[in-house]
């Protein structure tokens, strides 16, 4: 059914209405990619189209341009813009830090102290998580709260020390993940809401 639908779409291209075509393109495109594989879409940009429904669809050139940069080693079109952390002098390298706490009271107290000390711009408290882990040779299951902390990368060490000093666990979780991009206004706010 997949290849029949795909080939019919390409062979009767001129009689399909524009609105009907727009509704069918994602479905037809998915079937073509699954039927013929991505290798058929990664032709050299200057080569003539081969026969087959994947290449005859109007978005084949667009897909070829996108895949070309990954598989042929050429750069993407110059019109593609990416918002990155280093794209603005008003931002600083930033991170998201995960910290788990045993209850909402400690979560609230710790989150407020982190923001008050300007160690983070924002702390999200996510209640109702269940953690399964091994501790001292035993499998443990605990109800916890997750703190999601947005801050500067340069504050990780100070934040880690603050968590250790104000946490009930012997070994509190402090895991940092880099923020590689996003809303420039939000990233600027992280910088402006935290200490140097």
């Amino acid at each position: 059914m997949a290849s029949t639908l795909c080939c019919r779409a390409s062979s009767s291209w001129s009689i399909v209405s524009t609105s009907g075509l727009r509704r069918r393109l994602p479905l037809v495109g998915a079937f073509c990619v699954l039927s013929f594989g991505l290798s058929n879409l990664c032709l050299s940009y200057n080569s003539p189209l081969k026969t087959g429904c994947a290449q005859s669809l109007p978005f084949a050139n667009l897909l070829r341009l996108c895949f070309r940069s990954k598989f042929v080693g050429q750069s993407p079109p110059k019109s593609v813009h990416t918002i990155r952390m280093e794209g603005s002098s008003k931002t600083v390298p930033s991170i998201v830090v995960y910290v788990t706490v045993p209850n909402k009271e400690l979560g609230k107290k710790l989150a407020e102290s982190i923001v008050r000390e300007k160690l983070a711009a924002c702390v999200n408290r996510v209640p109702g998580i269940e953690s399964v882990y091994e501790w001292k040779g035993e499998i443990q299951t605990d109800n916890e709260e997750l703190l999601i902390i947005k801050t500067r990368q340069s504050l990780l060490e100070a934040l880690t020390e603050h968590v250790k000093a104000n946490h009930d666990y012997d070994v509190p979780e402090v895991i940092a993940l880099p923020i590689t991009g996003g809303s420039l206004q939000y990233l600027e706010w992280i910088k402006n809401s935290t200490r140097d």
Side-chain angles (χ1 to χ4, degrees), residues 11 19 27 51-52 57 84 103:
S11 65
S19 61
L27 183 60
T51 57
L57 292 174
R84 293 180 177 256
N103 54 56

Side-chain angles (χ1 to χ4, degrees), residues 5 9 13 15-31 57-59:
L5 176 62
W13 195 254
I15 56 173
V16 175
S17 71
T18 307
S19 61
L21 178 64
R22 271 187 293 221
R23 278 181 291 200
R24 290 185 194 148
L25 271 181
L27 183 60
V28 169
F31 284 127
L57 292 174
F59 58 86

Side-chain angles (χ1 to χ4, degrees), residues 81-102:
H81 298 288
T82 311
I83 298 174
R84 293 180 177 256
M85 282 292 302
E86 57 274 2
S88 171
S89 61
K90 297 179 182 180
T91 64
V92 292
S94 300
I95 55 176
V96 173
V97 180
Y98 290 166
V99 174
T100 51
V101 293

Side-chain angles (χ1 to χ4, degrees), residues 6-77:
C6 186
C7 292
R8 278 193 186 150
S10 66
S11 65
S12 61
W13 195 254
S14 59
I15 56 173
V16 175
S17 71
T18 307
S19 61
L21 178 64
R22 271 187 293 221
R23 278 181 291 200
R24 290 185 194 148
L25 271 181
L27 183 60
V28 169
F31 284 127
C32 288
V33 169
L34 290 174
S35 298
F36 295 102
L38 290 175
S39 61
N40 285 337
L41 297 174
C42 302
L43 303 171
S44 170
Y45 182 65
N46 294 325
S47 70
L49 289 176
K50 295 181 182 176
T51 57
C53 61
Q55 289 81 18
S56 63
L57 292 174
F59 58 86
N61 284 338
L62 178 61
L63 287 174
R64 202 174 300 106
L65 281 173
C66 294
F67 288 119
R68 182 175 151 210
S69 63
K70 285 187 179 179
F71 297 114
V72 182
Q74 299 193 13
S75 60

